[in-house]
Amino acid sequence: MNRFKENMIRQLTRHEGLRLKPYLCPAGKLTIGIGRNLEGKGITKQEAVMLLENDIQECLDDLIPLFDAFDTLPEPVRQVLVDMRFNLGPGRFRQFKKMIAAVNARNFPQAAAQMKASRWYLQVGKRAETLTAMMASAQLPDG
């Protein structure tokens, strides 16, 4: 980054402040970060994808210790787990104790049954149907 941009970052941060959660600026606009007007400007698709990539990594960092050899689980199972963790957050995801145990036992149909028996299943509609089907049909690799 060139010196001018670095100076502008310091100056604008000093004038705007840094707020990591949304707030109302003095003009009453929903704002975040260093003066980003979410109502007027929003974010770009590239920024949205960058945020999502960070959120996926956060999910993975949280999930890997919960599951035995997470990286060896079938990809559809890992996709389901990341999707659910993203949707539920860490605390609510951990309430799926029987599903987590079933995944660790590599019993994917039982894990799907636990998903289907939850209140979450009724709350998120098609998403739950899709994720439950992915989990139920997951196969361990041969060998």
Side-chain angles (χ1 to χ4, degrees):
M1 184 177 336
N2 70 37
R3 187 170 167 205
F4 176 77
K5 284 185 180 178
E6 290 172 1
N7 288 337
M8 288 309 310
I9 289 171
R10 279 193 295 280
Q11 178 178 320
L12 290 169
T13 301
R14 186 172 54 250
H15 290 159
E16 296 282 344
L18 170 63
R19 307 270 296 267
L20 302 179
K21 297 201 179 212
Y23 65 98
L24 292 178
C25 76
K29 302 289 184 181
L30 186 62
T31 306
I32 195 166
I34 301 167
R36 171 60 71 95
N37 177 343
L38 290 174
E39 292 178 41
K41 183 172 183 170
I43 62 174
T44 66
K45 181 179 179 182
Q46 181 180 356
E47 290 167 326
V49 170
M50 180 201 62
L51 291 170
L52 180 59
E53 288 172 351
N54 290 343
D55 289 343
I56 289 168
Q57 188 59 54
E58 178 185 287
C59 290
L60 289 168
D61 292 345
D62 186 50
L63 291 170
I64 289 170
L66 283 177
F67 294 93
D68 302 327
F70 180 85
D71 291 336
T72 68
L73 290 169
E75 185 170 325
V77 172
R78 288 181 282 143
Q79 290 174 328
V80 168
L81 297 173
V82 169
D83 195 311
M84 287 183 70
R85 166 52 180 78
F86 180 86
N87 178 240
L88 293 163
R92 288 183 56 215
F93 180 84
R94 281 174 173 71
Q95 293 175 5
F96 284 75
K97 292 179 185 346
K98 292 179 181 177
M99 182 207 67
I100 292 169
V103 170
N104 276 325
R106 305 311 199 245
N107 186 341
F108 306 128
Q110 179 60 30
Q114 292 301 321
M115 292 164 63
K116 195 168 185 176
S118 71
R119 192 169 31 139
W120 164 85
Y121 185 87
L122 300 174
Q123 293 172 334
V124 299
K126 186 70 174 157
R127 179 185 209 155
E129 292 173 19
T130 300
L131 295 178
T132 301
M134 289 172 67
M135 180 67 78
S137 63
Q139 300 290 316
L140 285 171
D142 293 334

